[in-house]
């Protein structure tokens, strides 16, 4: 990749990450599969995880979820075994050990946000490194190189803003509730009561 050819060398071990947060999220899902619903909006791709074995485990969780199968140590182990990845992630022993790192399921989104932020920081570093690499391509049209650099930054901003989006179904449901409340209480004020009757 272009990252490995860059002039400034990046020590991948120094890239931002939190193995503790990754273990906490994976452990929470193994203990309570419903935790996946609460973290997937922050961790939309397995690449958000820093450790390769954690990426494979999260991919297994998503695959099981998409097949409407239970997510637990046994099913995840079997899926990874079928994919030939069980030994790579540390075997069933490591999957079982992840449950020792499991926080209360309700806290899983907190750790998911940490993973998301670390992934964003890594993306910034790697994008910056690629932009530096583009600067050494003197033979190419500078306007094209600037467009490429802008695209790298745009892609990062898109990743950052996704967690701020609200599903249209949630907005429609809330709006419908407000309309029903107003219909049921026609004689009540629709605005804010100031306490000044003439106003």
């Amino acid at each position: 990749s272009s990252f490995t050819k860059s002039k400034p060398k990046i020590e991948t071990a120094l890239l931002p990450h939190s193995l503790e947060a990754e273990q906490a999220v994976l452990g929470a899902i193994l203990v309570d599969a419903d935790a996946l619903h609460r973290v997937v909006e922050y961790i939309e791709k397995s690449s958000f995880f820093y450790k390769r074995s954690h990426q494979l485990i999260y991919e297994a969780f998503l695959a099981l979820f998409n097949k409407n199968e239970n997510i637990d140590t046994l099913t995840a182990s079997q899926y990874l075994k079928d994919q030939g990845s069980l030994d790579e992630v540390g075997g069933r022993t490591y999957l079982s050990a992840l449950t020792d790192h499991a926080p209360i399921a309700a806290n899983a989104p907190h750790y998911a946000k940490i993973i998301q932020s670390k992934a964003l920081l890594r993306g910034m570093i790697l994008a910056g490194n690629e932009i530096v690499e583009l600067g050494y391509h003197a033979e190419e049209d500078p306007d094209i190189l600037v467009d490429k650099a802008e695209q790298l930054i745009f892609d990062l901003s898109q990743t950052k803003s996704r967690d701020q989006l609200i599903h249209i179904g949630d907005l429609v449901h809330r709006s419908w509730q407000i309309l029903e409340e107003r219909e049921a209480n026609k004689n009540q004020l629709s605005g804010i009561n100031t306490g000044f009757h003439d106003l």
Side-chain angles (χ1 to χ4, degrees):
S1 89
S2 60
F3 298 136
T4 59
K5 298 176 182 176
S6 306
K7 303 303 178 186
K9 297 296 182 182
I10 291 181
E11 180 55 56
T12 55
L14 300 179
L15 289 174
H17 64 281
S18 173
L19 295 181
E20 294 81 6
E22 294 184 8
Q23 291 172 331
V25 165
L26 296 176
I29 296 170
L30 283 172
V31 170
D32 180 4
D34 287 339
L36 182 59
H37 296 280
R38 292 187 283 273
V39 305
V40 74
E41 63 180 293
Y42 303 108
I43 310 173
E44 59 189 40
K45 297 183 291 187
S46 63
S47 60
F48 280 30
F49 286 87
Y50 175 77
K51 192 174 181 181
R52 175 60 181 159
S53 60
H54 293 168
Q55 293 175 4
L56 293 171
I57 293 169
Y58 192 67
E59 287 171 9
F61 292 166
L62 293 176
L64 290 169
F65 173 77
N66 289 330
K67 293 194 295 185
N68 292 318
E69 295 185 15
N70 291 330
I71 301 174
D72 53 39
T73 304
L74 183 61
T75 57
S77 296
Q78 188 58 52
Y79 179 87
L80 289 164
K81 184 178 180 181
D82 293 342
Q83 299 298 310
S85 304
L86 185 58
D87 290 337
E88 187 176 351
V89 304
R92 291 183 182 178
T93 303
Y94 186 71
L95 288 174
S96 298
L98 284 173
T99 59
D100 297 335
H101 298 278
I104 298 171
N107 293 337
H110 168 73
Y111 296 102
K113 289 178 184 177
I114 293 174
I115 294 171
Q116 182 193 51
S117 67
K118 299 296 184 184
L120 181 59
L121 291 173
R122 290 196 304 273
M124 288 174 59
I125 292 170
L126 296 175
N129 197 49
E130 188 161 349
I131 290 171
V132 169
E133 174 69 16
L134 290 173
Y136 287 98
H137 290 236
E139 70 281 1
E140 291 191 37
D141 184 342
D143 290 337
I144 294 176
L145 296 175
V146 169
D147 287 342
K148 289 180 179 178
E150 286 179 347
Q151 185 62 48
L152 288 167
I153 300 301
F154 178 76
D155 291 344
L156 279 175
S157 66
Q158 289 296 100
T159 300
K160 178 180 179 293
S161 63
R162 282 191 192 109
D163 67 310
Q164 300 169 356
L165 300 178
I166 301 173
H167 193 280
I168 186 64
D170 296 332
L171 291 176
V172 170
H173 178 69
R174 178 60 186 146
S175 298
W176 189 257
Q177 282 182 323
I178 293 171
L179 291 172
E180 286 181 334
E181 289 171 6
R182 288 183 180 173
E183 179 64 25
N185 303 292
K186 289 182 178 179
N187 296 327
Q188 292 186 6
L189 290 172
S190 59
I192 299 172
N193 187 355
T194 64
F196 298 101
H197 299 293
D198 291 340
L199 182 63

